[in-house]
Amino acid sequence: MGNTIRVTIAFIPSKKCQKFLIGNLEEMPLDKMVDVSGSQLRRFPLQICSFTRLVKLYLSDNKLRNLPQELKQLQSLQILALDFNGFRELPIVVCSLKQLSILYLGNNRLHALPSELSLLKELKILWIETNYFSDFPDVICELQSLKTLHVGYNQLRCLPKGLNRLEDLSSVWLSGNLFSEFPEVLLEMHFLDVIRRFPSLAHLKGLKLVIYDHNPCVNAPAVAEGVRRWATNTEEIKEENNKQRAGEPLTETKEPQIESQIKPDQDATF
């Protein structure tokens, strides 16, 4: 019943109703963080824009489709979570937040990213999983500070060659796409620590972990000694690892059923 009331009140633009949804936001919190996730918001609370020293803003799991231009006043913002909303396009005003380090855009309705995203020179973590991307957004190749990229559960079939320009990129998550073969550009990215892959990566001596489930490619990867391989069916992978050590041919692995997705801790440092 309580959630039904919140859904109804979300349609009423009065200040009293807004206060019911998000509580008292008269002053900026001492921890410089505002979390109004899961509040059934359909309109961005404009009073937040007055907190010019705000560092973390969590708007996850609401009904937002746009953001006001006043958001650009939050020039100290480093973490912005917009996942689980109704965005069909990324509001350009987000690209004016020059200090952003972490941006969560997963579980929306995005099919492209604006070229202005390249203005986020400090962006280190970008999550765009579970959207409608059929083409990899080329603007991502211009994010030179990017360290972690999650593009899982879209409709990607290939990756651009320009991805190898991101020399700080160490983790790439690709599960749940439409790759029929391993993206060759990843073979050129010797600085990767964690990727999802399929054929031989034995020559990547710095690789520590290989995750390769939830894609059409089914061959277990060949890796260098000491590199961990991971898929949902760990017993199956253990058998494949044993075969690799014994020099036996690898068999095809079944597609795993499900994998949980967990975002990094909200207070993660980098």
Side-chain angles (χ1 to χ4, degrees):
M1 179 66 70
N3 195 53
T4 302
I5 294 175
R6 296 181 71 88
V7 171
T8 303
I9 290 178
F11 283 96
I12 306 174
S14 72
K15 291 183 178 180
K16 186 175 182 180
C17 291
Q18 282 285 90
K19 187 174 181 179
F20 176 85
L21 293 174
I22 64 177
N24 187 3
L25 281 178
E26 299 298 327
E27 298 181 2
M28 190 182 75
L30 293 177
D31 59 3
K32 300 181 181 179
M33 179 183 77
V34 169
D35 187 348
V36 289
S37 301
S39 299
Q40 301 294 329
L41 294 175
R42 294 178 177 274
R43 300 174 181 83
F44 181 86
L46 281 175
Q47 60 266 47
I48 292 177
C49 296
S50 65
F51 304 154
T52 56
R53 296 171 58 199
L54 197 67
V55 173
K56 304 174 185 179
L57 177 56
Y58 298 98
L59 297 164
S60 306
D61 194 18
N62 281 293
K63 309 292 183 182
L64 298 173
R65 295 186 178 181
N66 51 60
L67 297 172
Q69 285 300 308
E70 288 84 348
L71 189 73
K72 63 184 178 183
Q73 297 172 206
L74 305 182
Q75 287 300 311
S76 296
L77 204 62
Q78 297 179 23
I79 300 176
L80 177 60
L82 299 174
D83 47 331
F84 291 95
N85 275 283
F87 293 102
R88 296 179 182 274
E89 297 180 350
L90 178 65
I92 299 297
V93 67
V94 172
C95 303
S96 68
L97 304 174
K98 301 296 181 62
Q99 298 302 313
L100 269 189
S101 294
I102 302 177
L103 179 58
Y104 296 121
L105 299 174
N107 290 271
N108 279 286
R109 301 177 183 179
L110 302 172
H111 58 83
L113 293 175
S115 60
E116 289 84 352
L117 191 72
S118 63
L119 298 174
L120 300 182
K121 304 298 185 182
E122 302 299 320
L123 196 63
K124 295 178 174 64
I125 299 176
L126 176 62
W127 285 53
I128 57 173
E129 79 287 357
T130 317
N131 275 285
Y132 297 150
F133 294 100
S134 56
D135 295 317
F136 186 90
D138 287 335
V139 66
I140 291 178
C141 299
E142 301 178 35
L143 301 174
Q144 292 297 318
S145 297
L146 202 63
K147 293 184 177 181
T148 298
L149 174 63
H150 196 322
V151 294
Y153 300 93
N154 281 285
Q155 301 165 26
L156 301 177
R157 296 179 182 274
C158 61
L159 297 178
K161 293 182 178 180
L163 197 63
N164 64 6
R165 299 199 300 266
L166 302 183
E167 297 187 359
D168 286 339
L169 188 62
S170 59
S171 298
V172 180
W173 301 79
L174 301 169
S175 61
N177 280 286
L178 301 176
F179 298 105
S180 58
E181 58 184 28
F182 181 67
E184 292 187 6
V185 64
L186 296 182
L187 296 173
E188 305 170 8
M189 301 171 68
H190 300 278
F191 32 82
L192 287 175
D193 290 326
V194 182
I195 62 175
R196 293 182 177 270
R197 62 83 55 220
F198 321 106
S200 175
L201 289 182
H203 68 289
L204 299 182
K205 304 303 181 184
L207 197 63
K208 302 173 184 176
L209 172 65
V210 175
I211 306 175
Y212 66 95
D213 57 354
H214 290 284
N215 271 288
C217 292
V218 293
N219 289 336
V223 294
E225 184 178 356
V227 179
R228 293 180 57 203
R229 294 186 300 179
W230 188 93
T232 302
N233 191 337
T234 55
E235 289 300 320
E236 188 171 40
I237 300 309
K238 186 183 297 183
E239 180 181 348
E240 294 297 308
N241 282 332
N242 291 336
K243 285 186 177 182
Q244 181 180 342
R245 285 193 291 269
E248 299 177 20
L250 300 177
T251 58
E252 291 189 341
T253 58
K254 296 179 181 178
E255 184 177 357
Q257 296 301 311
I258 212 164
E259 177 199 352
S260 61
Q261 295 186 49
I262 303 175
K263 288 193 297 188
D265 187 274
Q266 291 183 344
D267 295 319
T269 57
F270 29 78

mmCIF file of all heavy atoms in Angstrom, residues 33 35 37 56 58 60 79 81 102 104 263-270:
data_model
loop_
_atom_site.group_PDB
_atom_site.id
_atom_site.type_symbol
_atom_site.label_atom_id
_atom_site.label_comp_id
_atom_site.label_asym_id
_atom_site.label_seq_id
_atom_site.Cartn_x
_atom_site.Cartn_y
_atom_site.Cartn_z
ATOM 1 N N MET A 33 26.624 13.678 0.166
ATOM 2 C CA MET A 33 25.979 12.639 -0.627
ATOM 3 C C MET A 33 24.465 12.754 -0.505
ATOM 4 O O MET A 33 23.940 12.961 0.580
ATOM 5 C CB MET A 33 26.416 11.240 -0.168
ATOM 6 C CG MET A 33 25.748 10.104 -0.940
ATOM 7 S SD MET A 33 26.199 8.465 -0.336
ATOM 8 C CE MET A 33 25.187 8.373 1.151
ATOM 9 N N ASP A 35 21.124 10.452 -1.652
ATOM 10 C CA ASP A 35 20.647 9.192 -2.206
ATOM 11 C C ASP A 35 19.119 9.188 -2.158
ATOM 12 O O ASP A 35 18.525 9.048 -1.100
ATOM 13 C CB ASP A 35 21.206 8.009 -1.406
ATOM 14 C CG ASP A 35 20.883 6.663 -2.056
ATOM 15 O OD1 ASP A 35 20.046 6.624 -2.989
ATOM 16 O OD2 ASP A 35 21.462 5.649 -1.627
ATOM 17 N N SER A 37 17.404 7.091 -4.322
ATOM 18 C CA SER A 37 17.097 5.910 -5.126
ATOM 19 C C SER A 37 15.779 5.288 -4.683
ATOM 20 O O SER A 37 15.431 5.308 -3.504
ATOM 21 C CB SER A 37 18.225 4.879 -4.993
ATOM 22 O OG SER A 37 19.460 5.411 -5.418
ATOM 23 N N LYS A 56 28.443 13.031 -4.312
ATOM 24 C CA LYS A 56 27.803 11.786 -4.747
ATOM 25 C C LYS A 56 26.296 11.992 -4.851
ATOM 26 O O LYS A 56 25.663 12.491 -3.917
ATOM 27 C CB LYS A 56 28.081 10.651 -3.750
ATOM 28 C CG LYS A 56 29.558 10.406 -3.500
ATOM 29 C CD LYS A 56 29.758 9.376 -2.397
ATOM 30 C CE LYS A 56 31.237 9.206 -2.053
ATOM 31 N NZ LYS A 56 31.433 8.222 -0.953
ATOM 32 N N TYR A 58 22.868 9.744 -6.028
ATOM 33 C CA TYR A 58 22.280 8.469 -6.442
ATOM 34 C C TYR A 58 20.801 8.665 -6.740
ATOM 35 O O TYR A 58 20.001 8.977 -5.866
ATOM 36 C CB TYR A 58 22.468 7.420 -5.346
ATOM 37 C CG TYR A 58 23.922 7.127 -5.053
ATOM 38 C CD1 TYR A 58 24.575 7.732 -3.981
ATOM 39 C CD2 TYR A 58 24.655 6.278 -5.884
ATOM 40 C CE1 TYR A 58 25.910 7.487 -3.737
ATOM 41 C CE2 TYR A 58 25.989 6.035 -5.641
ATOM 42 C CZ TYR A 58 26.617 6.638 -4.567
ATOM 43 O OH TYR A 58 27.948 6.390 -4.327
ATOM 44 N N SER A 60 19.143 6.223 -8.700
ATOM 45 C CA SER A 60 18.798 4.917 -9.264
ATOM 46 C C SER A 60 17.350 4.533 -8.965
ATOM 47 O O SER A 60 16.776 4.940 -7.950
ATOM 48 C CB SER A 60 19.728 3.842 -8.681
ATOM 49 O OG SER A 60 21.079 4.175 -8.860
ATOM 50 N N ILE A 79 30.372 11.155 -8.463
ATOM 51 C CA ILE A 79 29.624 9.917 -8.706
ATOM 52 C C ILE A 79 28.186 10.278 -9.013
ATOM 53 O O ILE A 79 27.526 10.998 -8.262
ATOM 54 C CB ILE A 79 29.669 8.984 -7.481
ATOM 55 C CG1 ILE A 79 31.107 8.609 -7.146
ATOM 56 C CG2 ILE A 79 28.848 7.717 -7.747
ATOM 57 C CD1 ILE A 79 31.232 7.753 -5.882
ATOM 58 N N ALA A 81 24.620 8.244 -10.301
ATOM 59 C CA ALA A 81 23.932 6.987 -10.616
ATOM 60 C C ALA A 81 22.563 7.299 -11.205
ATOM 61 O O ALA A 81 21.690 7.844 -10.531
ATOM 62 C CB ALA A 81 23.790 6.120 -9.362
ATOM 63 N N ILE A 102 32.664 8.406 -11.817
ATOM 64 C CA ILE A 102 31.858 7.193 -11.946
ATOM 65 C C ILE A 102 30.477 7.570 -12.451
ATOM 66 O O ILE A 102 29.817 8.440 -11.885
ATOM 67 C CB ILE A 102 31.729 6.451 -10.594
ATOM 68 C CG1 ILE A 102 33.108 6.097 -10.045
ATOM 69 C CG2 ILE A 102 30.894 5.190 -10.755
ATOM 70 C CD1 ILE A 102 33.062 5.431 -8.672
ATOM 71 N N TYR A 104 26.856 5.692 -13.705
ATOM 72 C CA TYR A 104 26.025 4.495 -13.876
ATOM 73 C C TYR A 104 24.833 4.839 -14.757
ATOM 74 O O TYR A 104 24.000 5.673 -14.401
ATOM 75 C CB TYR A 104 25.509 3.995 -12.523
ATOM 76 C CG TYR A 104 26.570 3.525 -11.565
ATOM 77 C CD1 TYR A 104 26.707 4.131 -10.314
ATOM 78 C CD2 TYR A 104 27.425 2.482 -11.892
ATOM 79 C CE1 TYR A 104 27.674 3.692 -9.416
ATOM 80 C CE2 TYR A 104 28.391 2.050 -11.019
ATOM 81 C CZ TYR A 104 28.516 2.651 -9.773
ATOM 82 O OH TYR A 104 29.472 2.226 -8.894
ATOM 83 N N LYS A 263 27.228 -3.779 -8.560
ATOM 84 C CA LYS A 263 28.017 -2.579 -8.812
ATOM 85 C C LYS A 263 29.098 -2.458 -7.754
ATOM 86 O O LYS A 263 28.960 -2.968 -6.649
ATOM 87 C CB LYS A 263 27.121 -1.342 -8.743
ATOM 88 C CG LYS A 263 26.190 -1.226 -9.919
ATOM 89 C CD LYS A 263 25.546 0.125 -9.988
ATOM 90 C CE LYS A 263 24.678 0.418 -8.802
ATOM 91 N NZ LYS A 263 23.908 1.648 -8.947
ATOM 92 N N PRO A 264 30.186 -1.758 -8.072
ATOM 93 C CA PRO A 264 31.199 -1.486 -7.044
ATOM 94 C C PRO A 264 30.570 -0.754 -5.876
ATOM 95 O O PRO A 264 29.558 -0.085 -6.019
ATOM 96 C CB PRO A 264 32.203 -0.587 -7.797
ATOM 97 C CG PRO A 264 31.980 -0.873 -9.226
ATOM 98 C CD PRO A 264 30.522 -1.201 -9.376
ATOM 99 N N ASP A 265 31.187 -0.887 -4.720
ATOM 100 C CA ASP A 265 30.694 -0.221 -3.519
ATOM 101 C C ASP A 265 30.539 1.274 -3.778
ATOM 102 O O ASP A 265 31.352 1.896 -4.439
ATOM 103 C CB ASP A 265 31.679 -0.440 -2.374
ATOM 104 C CG ASP A 265 31.127 0.090 -1.067
ATOM 105 O OD1 ASP A 265 31.296 1.287 -0.792
ATOM 106 O OD2 ASP A 265 30.544 -0.713 -0.305
ATOM 107 N N GLN A 266 29.472 1.857 -3.253
ATOM 108 C CA GLN A 266 29.195 3.256 -3.500
ATOM 109 C C GLN A 266 30.309 4.163 -2.987
ATOM 110 O O GLN A 266 30.480 5.275 -3.456
ATOM 111 C CB GLN A 266 27.873 3.644 -2.869
ATOM 112 C CG GLN A 266 26.666 2.991 -3.565
ATOM 113 C CD GLN A 266 25.365 3.449 -2.973
ATOM 114 O OE1 GLN A 266 25.335 3.998 -1.886
ATOM 115 N NE2 GLN A 266 24.280 3.231 -3.683
ATOM 116 N N ASP A 267 31.062 3.709 -2.028
ATOM 117 C CA ASP A 267 32.129 4.516 -1.470
ATOM 118 C C ASP A 267 33.504 4.066 -1.971
ATOM 119 O O ASP A 267 34.510 4.330 -1.341
ATOM 120 C CB ASP A 267 32.118 4.453 0.062
ATOM 121 C CG ASP A 267 30.853 5.076 0.623
ATOM 122 O OD1 ASP A 267 30.442 6.113 0.092
ATOM 123 O OD2 ASP A 267 30.311 4.533 1.587
ATOM 124 N N ALA A 268 33.516 3.365 -3.122
ATOM 125 C CA ALA A 268 34.772 2.842 -3.629
ATOM 126 C C ALA A 268 35.723 3.981 -3.978
ATOM 127 O O ALA A 268 35.315 5.032 -4.437
ATOM 128 C CB ALA A 268 34.520 1.996 -4.870
ATOM 129 N N THR A 269 36.985 3.744 -3.761
ATOM 130 C CA THR A 269 38.005 4.723 -4.133
ATOM 131 C C THR A 269 38.844 4.149 -5.264
ATOM 132 O O THR A 269 38.853 2.963 -5.510
ATOM 133 C CB THR A 269 38.913 5.064 -2.941
ATOM 134 O OG1 THR A 269 39.505 3.870 -2.464
ATOM 135 C CG2 THR A 269 38.115 5.722 -1.851
ATOM 136 N N PHE A 270 39.593 4.987 -5.911
ATOM 137 C CA PHE A 270 40.383 4.532 -7.045
ATOM 138 C C PHE A 270 41.623 5.418 -7.141
ATOM 139 O O PHE A 270 41.702 6.469 -6.553
ATOM 140 C CB PHE A 270 39.596 4.594 -8.355
ATOM 141 C CG PHE A 270 38.567 5.656 -8.377
ATOM 142 C CD1 PHE A 270 38.918 6.981 -8.594
ATOM 143 C CD2 PHE A 270 37.247 5.345 -8.126
ATOM 144 C CE1 PHE A 270 37.981 7.967 -8.588
ATOM 145 C CE2 PHE A 270 36.293 6.340 -8.132
ATOM 146 C CZ PHE A 270 36.644 7.651 -8.367
#
